[in-house]
Amino acid sequence: MKNKKINNLNFKIGISIISLVLLFIIIGLFYTPYDPNAMDGTAKNMAPGFTHLFGTDNFGRDVLSRVMEGGRTTFFVALLTVAIGAFFGTLVGAFTGYYGGWLDEILMRINDGVASFPSILLALIVVSLIGPGKYNVIIALGIIFIPSFARVVRSEYITLKERDFVKNAKLMGASDLRIMFVHILPNTKAILLSSLTIGFNNAVLAEAGMSYLQLGVQPPDPSLGRMLSEAQSYMFMSPWCAIFPGIMIVLSVIGFSLINER
């Protein structure tokens, strides 16, 4: 009972944190105090104040505006990454878990081979082949996220395909595709939602890491990881350039982690 209360509290705190982060990003869709890429030679490395609430960077760009824009970019990349991983991972997991046999052996061996590589290393290899950039990182990270979703969905299908409701659907003449995606898939909702929150959390960190290595979002467009990379040379002169995007990343990770603990 006590653990349940703690988990519910963690969930509420996580929802509150993510809501604040999303509100901050949504406001940035319609309003930013300054153009995120506008340079002002007279306002370089200004400390946070009334004119620039989060200060400015070494090019005189408003950090608040760039954090709002950068957060939106990072979440956009993470969202598409998880969408690609979840879509193709669900297809692989559904077919292998439902049919088994040679299809399961072939696809899951390929899946295990991809999963055996460290994710960031594999992403670096893919990006080095297709080149840096926001959409290339989405493709690279999306491919990397497929195995985790495939394994989760496959295990659920292996269990659920033996349930009575599936046997009844077969007796009523339902096709395999209808059984797989109309009868079985909705029953994987709980585990899929958990996998999505974990995946989104990991995608935010992965995008930040790739952009920090200057392989993701390219200048002048901001992302949270890109801002950290640009700020490292000015840590002692203008630490706020790293602090505020860092806080956004930390809050996002903590929020989704707390949500997933329920």
Side-chain angles (χ1 to χ4, degrees):
M1 188 69 176
K2 184 178 181 180
N3 288 336
K4 186 176 180 180
K5 289 183 178 179
I6 293 174
N7 289 339
N8 287 335
L9 178 61
N10 288 342
F11 180 79
K12 291 176 181 178
I13 294 173
I15 287 291
S16 300
I17 292 173
I18 294 302
S19 297
L20 288 175
V21 172
L22 288 177
L23 178 63
F24 186 76
I25 292 173
I26 290 170
I27 291 173
L29 288 172
F30 305 99
Y31 169 78
T32 55
Y34 299 88
D35 182 341
N37 295 324
M39 302 181 186
D40 185 354
T42 64
K44 294 182 179 180
N45 297 313
M46 286 183 60
F50 291 109
T51 306
H52 298 277
L53 293 180
F54 285 8
T56 62
D57 63 11
N58 58 301
F59 292 107
R61 298 174 297 191
D62 182 63
V63 174
L64 172 58
S65 301
R66 287 181 67 77
V67 170
M68 297 172 86
E69 180 75 12
R72 180 165 65 89
T73 300
T74 295
F75 271 51
F76 172 76
V77 172
L79 182 62
L80 287 187
T81 293
V82 172
I84 292 172
F87 178 77
F88 289 103
T90 298
L91 287 179
V92 172
F95 278 96
T96 56
Y98 185 80
Y99 287 111
W102 64 268
L103 182 66
D104 184 31
E105 285 295 323
I106 293 174
L107 291 182
M108 291 312 295
R109 294 299 76 76
I110 295 173
N111 191 81
D112 292 342
V114 174
S116 65
F117 283 91
S119 57
I120 292 297
L121 177 60
L122 186 57
L124 290 173
I125 293 173
V126 175
V127 170
S128 67
L129 293 175
I130 62 179
K134 178 168 65 177
Y135 292 102
N136 289 347
V137 165
I138 290 172
I139 294 171
L141 294 178
I143 293 171
I144 291 165
F145 275 55
I146 291 174
S148 59
F149 283 98
R151 286 197 299 267
V152 169
V153 173
R154 174 179 175 270
S155 64
E156 288 293 296
Y157 268 70
I158 289 174
T159 301
L160 292 172
K161 71 179 182 180
E162 303 298 331
R163 298 286 179 86
D164 289 339
F165 71 89
V166 174
K167 294 177 181 178
N168 290 336
K170 288 181 179 179
L171 290 174
M172 294 177 66
S175 66
D176 286 346
L177 288 178
R178 180 175 179 82
I179 292 172
M180 289 165 61
F181 298 109
V182 175
H183 295 278
I184 298 180
L185 184 60
N187 287 281
T188 67
K189 179 176 65 175
I191 191 67
L192 268 179
L193 287 175
S194 178
S195 297
L196 286 170
T197 56
I198 294 173
F200 194 89
N201 195 353
N202 293 335
V204 169
L205 289 173
E207 188 285 326
M210 296 294 288
S211 292
Y212 180 83
L213 295 173
Q214 302 182 14
L215 295 172
V217 177
Q218 298 298 296
D221 297 330
S223 81
L224 299 179
R226 184 79 200 183
M227 292 182 70
L228 290 176
S229 177
E230 293 173 346
Q232 65 179 345
S233 299
Y234 302 90
M235 282 296 296
F236 297 103
M237 183 182 299
S238 49
W240 49 86
C241 294
I243 290 173
F244 292 112
I247 288 174
M248 279 285 286
I249 294 173
V250 170
L251 287 177
S252 300
V253 171
I254 291 175
F256 282 110
S257 297
L258 290 174
I259 290 172
N260 195 58
E261 284 184 7
R262 183 173 182 178

